[in-house]
């Protein structure tokens, strides 16, 4: 058996109506912290976390919230993605991916033993709880050229020596995917990272829209949404490149993955006719 993540989903309902006004992934992360605090866990802001929170789902729909347009100096609330009203009793889904079985078990036991989480906006009552072991993809043989469409399902941002990269950079995307995969699977991805200039490129024009996201307490951070089509050319590292890219659906990419940034879907695009 290869490397695993442990995914836990808690379905909960609020006792009164409220609104998610900041990024819903930050709300999900706060609920996670509050439950784990019952078992004595605490985490520093800059400390590496052994888990990833997905954005909250409201009645089955991902809540993209806390989004602004314009500049940090003059932010403008997005007309439909700034907040999400939630009715009393409306189902909320909180999904977390844990790096280890022990911390996943601690979370499950803590919320099962005390199935009400009290937050400033409401009390959340547990209705259902599910857990699954998810194996990360392993490197395997492939063709000479592979093409994938990567859709950024939640706001995403990459970094380059302390500077924001606010578009679907193929190199930043694959560096992040490889580093995350290497850390989770316990494999060395350094050679693959160093060879990316010769093995990966965007085909067609990446599509991106820049936004600002309130991650809590009015802290606005720049990010983008959009998609990119990647071509990955055969090399000795092709198997690990493909495994890392597919694993990105679980591990995410870019910065702030812990609170649900950088959630992606990796698809095989429809075949394009060749040039005559």
């Amino acid at each position: 058996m290869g490397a695993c993540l442990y995914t836990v989903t808690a379905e909960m309902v609020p006792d009164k109506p409220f609104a998610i006004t900041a990024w819903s992934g930050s709300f999900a992360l706060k609920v996670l912290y509050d439950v784990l605090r019952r078992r004595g866990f605490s985490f520093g802001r800059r400390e590496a976390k052994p888990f990833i929170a997905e954005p909250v789902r409201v009645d089955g729909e991902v809540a993209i919230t806390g989004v602004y347009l314009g500049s940090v100096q003059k932010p403008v609330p997005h007309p439909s993605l700034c907040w999400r009203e939630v009715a009393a009793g409306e189902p909320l889904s909180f999904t977390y991916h844990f790096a280890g079985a022990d911390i996943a078990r601690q979370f499950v036991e803590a919320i099962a033993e005390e199935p009400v989480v009290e937050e400033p906006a409401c009390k959340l009552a547990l209705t259902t709880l599910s857990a699954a072991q998810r194996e990360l993809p392993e490197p395997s043989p492939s063709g000479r050229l592979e093409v994938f469409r990567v859709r950024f399902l939640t706001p995403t941002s990459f970094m380059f020596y302390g500077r924001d990269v606010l578009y679907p950079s193929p190199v930043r995307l694959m560096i992040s995917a490889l580093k995350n995969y290497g850390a989770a699977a316990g494999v060395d991805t350094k050679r693959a990272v160093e060879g990316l200039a010769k093995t990966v490129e965007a085909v067609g024009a990446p599509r991106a829209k820049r936004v600002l996201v309130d991650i809590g307490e009015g802290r606005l951070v720049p990010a983008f949404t959009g998609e990119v089509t990647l071509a990955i050319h055969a090399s000795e590292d092709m198997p690990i490149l493909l495994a890392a890219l597919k694993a990105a659906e679980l591990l995410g990419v870019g910065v702030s993955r812990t609170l649900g940034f950088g959630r992606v879907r990796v698809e095989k695009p429809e075949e394009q006719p060749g040039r005559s």
Side-chain angles (χ1 to χ4, degrees):
M1 181 182 296
C4 299
L5 286 184
Y6 301 86
T7 299
V8 178
T9 297
E11 304 283 350
M12 312 180 83
V13 293
D15 67 334
K16 59 184 179 181
F18 73 103
I20 304 174
T21 56
W23 172 236
S24 74
S26 299
F27 179 39
L29 187 61
K30 185 178 186 308
V31 170
L32 174 61
Y33 283 153
D34 289 344
V35 173
L36 288 177
R37 196 173 292 117
R38 299 172 182 174
R39 295 304 177 95
F41 287 96
S42 64
F43 301 91
R45 179 173 291 182
R46 298 187 178 278
E47 180 182 353
K49 314 299 192 301
F51 45 71
I52 295 168
E54 291 197 11
V56 179
R57 289 181 179 269
V58 181
D59 204 13
E61 176 186 325
V62 174
I64 303 296
T65 56
V67 178
Y68 290 76
L69 304 175
S71 66
V72 173
Q73 292 75 25
K74 293 184 178 181
V76 178
H78 192 284
S80 60
L81 303 178
C82 192
W83 64 82
R84 176 71 154 81
E85 294 182 354
V86 180
E90 190 167 15
L92 301 179
S93 179
F94 298 83
T95 295
Y96 306 105
H97 305 286
F98 296 92
D102 181 64
I103 191 168
R105 183 175 61 254
Q106 295 273 9
F107 174 81
V108 167
E109 291 176 353
I111 198 168
E113 291 172 5
E114 191 178 340
V116 174
V117 182
E118 189 165 354
E119 297 296 336
C122 65
K123 291 181 180 179
L124 297 167
L126 181 69
T127 55
T128 64
L129 188 63
S130 62
Q133 182 174 300
R134 312 280 294 277
E135 290 192 37
L136 295 177
E138 295 188 3
S140 59
S142 60
R144 288 194 55 78
L145 183 69
E146 297 283 352
V147 178
F148 298 91
R149 180 182 294 115
V150 181
R151 300 184 187 275
F152 295 84
L153 306 179
T154 62
T156 304
S157 178
F158 299 114
M159 298 295 291
F160 182 70
Y161 293 101
R163 303 296 295 270
D164 294 312
V165 177
L166 301 177
Y167 81 104
S169 163
V171 172
R172 294 296 120 196
L173 165 62
M174 287 307 305
I175 287 176
S176 179
L178 284 163
K179 288 186 174 180
N180 298 337
Y181 180 72
V187 298
D188 186 358
T189 60
K190 182 179 179 181
R191 188 183 68 179
V193 168
E194 291 174 345
L196 282 175
K198 295 181 179 180
T199 55
V200 63
E201 186 53 275
V203 291
R207 295 196 293 174
K209 184 175 182 178
R210 295 186 181 186
V211 294
L212 297 168
V213 184
D214 179 358
I215 61 171
E217 301 175 349
R219 290 175 294 162
L220 294 176
V221 298
F224 71 87
T225 59
E227 66 178 57
V228 63
T229 300
L230 294 181
I232 301 178
H233 188 264
S235 72
E236 291 182 63
D237 299 311
M238 185 74 145
I240 200 168
L241 289 169
L242 299 184
L245 182 60
K246 188 61 180 175
E249 290 191 321
L250 281 174
L251 300 172
V253 293
V255 301
S256 300
R257 293 182 302 121
T258 299
L259 49 81
F261 272 34
R263 306 303 299 173
V264 298
R265 179 177 298 133
V266 180
E267 308 167 332
K268 290 292 290 183
E270 296 179 4
E271 293 294 330
Q272 299 294 321
R275 293 183 180 180
S276 57

